[in-house]
Amino acid sequence: MAEIQTQHQTLTFDVKLGLLQKISHNNGSKIVVGEEIGMYTSPGSGAYLFKPEGDAQPIVEAGGNMVISEGPLMQEVFVYPKTAWEQTPISHSTRIYNGDGTIQEFLIEKEYHVELLGKEFNDRELIVRYKTDLDNKRIFYSDLNGFQMSRRETYGKIPLQGNYYPMPSLAFLQGSNGQRFSVHSRQSLGVASLKDGWLEIMLDRRLVRDGRGLGQGVMDNRPMNVIFHILVESNISSTSDPVSNPLPLIPSLLSHCVGAHLNYPLHAFIAKNPQELSVQPLARSFSPLAAPLPCDLHIVNFKVPRPSKYSQQLIEDSRFVLILQRHHWDTSYCLKGRLQQCAIVANEPLSLFNMFKGLAVLNARATSLNLLHDDVEMLGYAEQVGMQLRRDTF
């Protein structure tokens, strides 16, 4: 066994296979992960079909290469596994981060480098499987376009492919003790919980034919990186039984923050030549907000609306559209999501008129998401004075 650890958690790996086996937290809680990489043989599958021949079989053999790197900011385990093929179709890294007061210190980052290239992988579908010790009764939850969760249940009366569900950005298991195992994804994938405690995620597919719809196989595979952020949480109050509760469960506040950190990264742009810079040097920092946003409030979009009658917007008509989403989160998994400096809208209301630094907001009104309707009664808003909200807080 090999281990890497931070002040919050310790990861245990199987040295022979290079796979993550267990996660231990400093409060004494543990969870068996049982990472496994497998492959389906699917001669009947296609672009719109999933018809495997039996279960996915493990492909990792003992004898691969494993490199452990440790530093003050990050610790990483990189594995180039041994498989039956000369060119292995997958390699993977596991990372944990140090940093007080950051989101990264609570998560586990898994990065899979997938290369389903060559005819030896024809009609094969690659998966990763986490065989946890949670008694979820084959019930799990996945999101719908990143906005709400759906309850998923595995049924033994239908084929395996009928128990696969879409996972746009998040899927999690919950045991009877309230412990959760969440996997955040950067791209949409398929997910299933075929046995108690298992969470199986599709990584890539290479298929020769397609019997319906597309009319051709899925043969345009490219090397790709699949990144997951894994989060393990323990319930601090009431426990909801997934079997008796038919309603979908919702993520915690920390889980929302982890998903936003993964899917909305900060992009840095660097000029190639100094001549391309403007005469006035750019500021070394940029902070458009007067104060940090509450953790349960997310800016979905900030844009200038497209004029409906004119090709160019009038200068005196400076308008912009701000779309905000207030997350629905589970308070039984720590009120502030283990982030000490995390505020919520209920405690610190946000003022639209004082939200931006160096920008005066003179007027604000509610509108529909498509910007076509502003009837306050239809939208469900209370009294307004003219076009300005009487209350400018949420």
Side-chain angles (χ1 to χ4, degrees), residues 317-374:
D317 188 22
S318 56
R319 300 179 300 161
F320 60 88
V321 178
L322 179 65
I323 300 177
L324 299 172
Q325 177 197 4
R326 186 176 180 185
H327 291 303
H328 187 201
W329 49 281
D330 195 336
T331 57
S332 61
Y333 288 86
C334 192
L335 186 61
K336 290 191 175 183
R338 288 188 272 176
L339 298 174
Q340 297 300 323
Q341 299 178 350
C342 187
I344 58 176
V345 175
N347 297 337
E348 297 185 14
L350 179 69
S351 173
L352 292 177
F353 296 90
N354 302 320
M355 179 177 176
F356 298 98
K357 184 188 303 181
L359 179 64
V361 178
L362 303 178
N363 189 18
R365 61 171 177 167
T367 183
S368 60
L369 291 177
N370 58 9
L371 312 181
L372 297 179
H373 305 284
D374 53 12

Side-chain angles (χ1 to χ4, degrees), residues 138 153-160 163:
R138 299 197 299 177
E153 185 172 355
T154 300
Y155 299 96
K157 295 182 179 180
I158 62 177
L160 182 153
N163 290 307

Side-chain angles (χ1 to χ4, degrees), residues 217-237:
V218 182
M219 302 291 289
D220 56 346
N221 303 76
R222 297 290 186 272
M224 55 182 271
N225 294 327
V226 180
I227 298 179
F228 296 148
H229 280 181
I230 297 175
L231 184 64
V232 178
E233 299 174 286
S234 296
N235 196 304
I236 62 172
S237 56

Side-chain angles (χ1 to χ4, degrees), residues 190-219:
V191 64
S193 180
L194 302 178
K195 292 186 179 181
D196 191 29
W198 287 20
L199 189 67
E200 177 177 311
I201 304 174
M202 184 73 67
L203 296 179
D204 200 8
R205 317 169 72 207
R206 184 177 177 88
L207 307 167
V208 176
R209 61 189 64 84
D210 179 50
R212 298 180 182 178
L214 190 62
Q216 63 184 20
V218 182
M219 302 291 289

Side-chain angles (χ1 to χ4, degrees), residues 230-272:
I230 297 175
L231 184 64
V232 178
E233 299 174 286
S234 296
N235 196 304
I236 62 172
S237 56
S238 61
T239 302
S240 177
D241 185 8
V243 178
S244 60
N245 184 10
L247 300 177
L249 302 181
I250 56 178
S252 66
L253 185 57
L254 177 59
S255 185
H256 279 301
C257 293
V258 169
H261 179 268
L262 176 63
N263 287 288
Y264 300 94
L266 180 66
H267 295 282
F269 300 92
I270 302 174
K272 295 182 179 180

Side-chain angles (χ1 to χ4, degrees), residues 38-304:
M39 192 172 286
Y40 285 103
T41 301
S42 308
S45 292
Y48 299 101
L49 298 175
F50 177 41
K51 298 176 64 177
E53 289 186 346
D55 296 331
Q57 300 301 316
I59 63 171
V60 178
E61 304 174 355
N65 297 321
M66 182 177 183
V67 179
I68 300 178
S69 304
E70 296 183 352
L73 299 179
M74 181 186 70
Q75 299 182 58
E76 179 183 29
V77 175
F78 171 77
V79 178
Y80 189 84
K82 180 182 178 182
T83 61
W85 299 274
E86 182 178 356
Q87 295 291 333
T88 183
I90 187 172
S91 60
H92 54 95
S93 298
T94 307
R95 306 182 186 98
I96 51 178
Y97 297 89
N98 297 314
D100 294 335
T102 63
I103 296 175
Q104 294 96 315
E105 64 177 331
F106 299 111
L107 59 85
I108 300 167
E109 184 173 277
K110 290 289 301 186
E111 180 174 358
Y112 298 92
H113 182 75
V114 180
E115 295 189 13
L116 280 187
L117 310 176
K119 61 182 180 181
E120 62 267 28
F121 300 114
N122 287 350
D123 293 327
R124 299 295 182 97
E125 302 180 84
L126 185 67
I127 60 103
V128 61
R129 182 182 290 154
Y130 301 106
K131 302 163 70 172
T132 73
D133 57 351
L134 300 181
D135 56 338
N136 70 316
K137 305 298 187 295
R138 299 197 299 177
I139 297 173
F140 70 103
Y141 305 85
S142 65
D143 68 302
L144 293 174
N145 297 327
F147 287 99
Q148 64 188 80
M149 303 300 297
S150 291
R151 183 181 185 271
R152 313 295 193 182
E153 185 172 355
T154 300
Y155 299 96
K157 295 182 179 180
I158 62 177
L160 182 153
Q161 56 266 33
N163 290 307
Y164 249 80
Y165 295 92
M167 170 188 162
S169 64
L170 170 64
F172 66 82
L173 308 174
Q174 177 170 315
S176 58
N177 61 351
Q179 195 171 28
R180 280 189 184 179
F181 179 82
S182 304
V183 178
H184 293 265
S185 174
R186 200 172 61 175
Q187 55 262 82
S188 299
L189 300 167
V191 64
S193 180
L194 302 178
K195 292 186 179 181
D196 191 29
W198 287 20
L199 189 67
E200 177 177 311
I201 304 174
M202 184 73 67
L203 296 179
D204 200 8
R205 317 169 72 207
R206 184 177 177 88
L207 307 167
V208 176
R209 61 189 64 84
D210 179 50
R212 298 180 182 178
L214 190 62
Q216 63 184 20
V218 182
M219 302 291 289
D220 56 346
N221 303 76
R222 297 290 186 272
M224 55 182 271
N225 294 327
V226 180
I227 298 179
F228 296 148
H229 280 181
I230 297 175
L231 184 64
V232 178
E233 299 174 286
S234 296
N235 196 304
I236 62 172
S237 56
S238 61
T239 302
S240 177
D241 185 8
V243 178
S244 60
N245 184 10
L247 300 177
L249 302 181
I250 56 178
S252 66
L253 185 57
L254 177 59
S255 185
H256 279 301
C257 293
V258 169
H261 179 268
L262 176 63
N263 287 288
Y264 300 94
L266 180 66
H267 295 282
F269 300 92
I270 302 174
K272 295 182 179 180
N273 301 316
Q275 292 80 4
E276 296 180 10
L277 299 176
S278 60
V279 178
Q280 182 179 1
L282 299 177
R284 293 185 175 272
S285 63
F286 176 68
S287 179
L289 297 177
L293 288 178
C295 292
D296 57 344
L297 194 65
H298 173 62
I299 297 180
V300 179
N301 206 339
F302 182 64
K303 64 180 182 179
V304 177

